Amino acid sequence: MIYDPRGTIDAPVLHLAKRPANLRGLRIGVLDNTKWNGWKLEDRIATTLAQRLSLGPIKRYKKESFSRDARPELLAQIAAESDLVLTGIGD
Amino acid sequence: MHDAIRLETSGIPTAVLVTTVFLHEAKVQREALGMTAIEPVVVTHPLSTLSNEQLDERAAEALEQVVHAWGGK
């Protein structure tokens, strides 16, 4: 008998959110994951796209640590106050 | 990736930035979490040691990808 130690992943399939027909005027939420320079990059991207595409206001949020998931309350707040979100993982 | 997937399941299109060296990890995570359709926005590694000018270059790499991730054309 041979066992494969790698195992398998059997997660339920989750679907992407519905995409908007037009980005114009949509509110942007930027979630800082606390990695060094991460927020600077996110800020550049969000402000550039807001100008180019006439997006709505940008609101910035910060999680406690890049090594942890954002608190559910924070994610709920972001979802309530944003139409689109930009965040990051990794260095 | 967890945060992005939770936001997506809450109905919010989310662009998630990842640097090149973390792309494999991001793909493994999205599969483990069940959302294989989410496409990370990939920029060149690293970020933490960059100057402001170099960050501008990284931002330029990401712009079209972010628009695509949000559903824009």
Side-chain angles (χ1 to χ4, degrees), chain B residues 1-20:
Chain B
M1 190 58 85
H2 288 72
D3 298 334
I5 288 176
R6 289 200 176 103
L7 288 164
E8 287 278 355
T9 56
S10 299
I12 310 299
T14 301
V16 54
L17 296 165
V18 59
T19 61
T20 42

Side-chain angles (χ1 to χ4, degrees), chain A residues 2-91:
Chain A
I2 298 174
Y3 292 98
D4 183 345
R6 293 174 296 183
T8 57
I9 295 169
D10 190 19
V13 175
L14 301 176
H15 298 285
L16 291 174
K18 186 180 177 192
R19 265 44 191 171
N22 192 328
L23 303 184
R24 192 179 189 87
L26 297 185
R27 301 165 299 167
I28 311 303
V30 177
L31 174 58
D32 176 6
N33 70 356
T34 74
K35 282 244 176 178
W36 186 253
N37 270 348
W39 71 269
K40 290 184 180 179
L41 178 63
E42 292 170 356
D43 199 56
R44 281 164 165 75
I45 294 166
T47 54
T48 301
L49 291 179
Q51 289 176 352
R52 285 190 190 176
L53 304 176
S54 300
L55 304 178
I58 299 168
K59 186 161 183 179
R60 295 165 177 85
Y61 307 86
K62 188 173 183 178
K63 62 192 275 186
E64 291 176 2
S65 165
F66 62 82
S67 64
R68 292 184 204 160
D69 296 349
R71 289 178 291 105
E73 311 88 80
L74 178 60
L75 291 177
Q77 181 189 1
I78 296 169
E81 297 174 346
S82 312
D83 302 305
L84 304 167
V85 168
L86 176 63
T87 188
I89 61 174
D91 189 358

Side-chain angles (χ1 to χ4, degrees), chain B residues 25-49:
Chain B
E25 182 185 347
K27 288 182 174 177
V28 170
Q29 280 191 22
R30 74 180 177 181
E31 286 177 26
L33 297 170
M35 190 175 280
T36 53
I38 192 166
E39 281 296 334
V41 172
V42 186
V43 296
T44 306
H45 189 81
L47 296 181
S48 59
T49 55

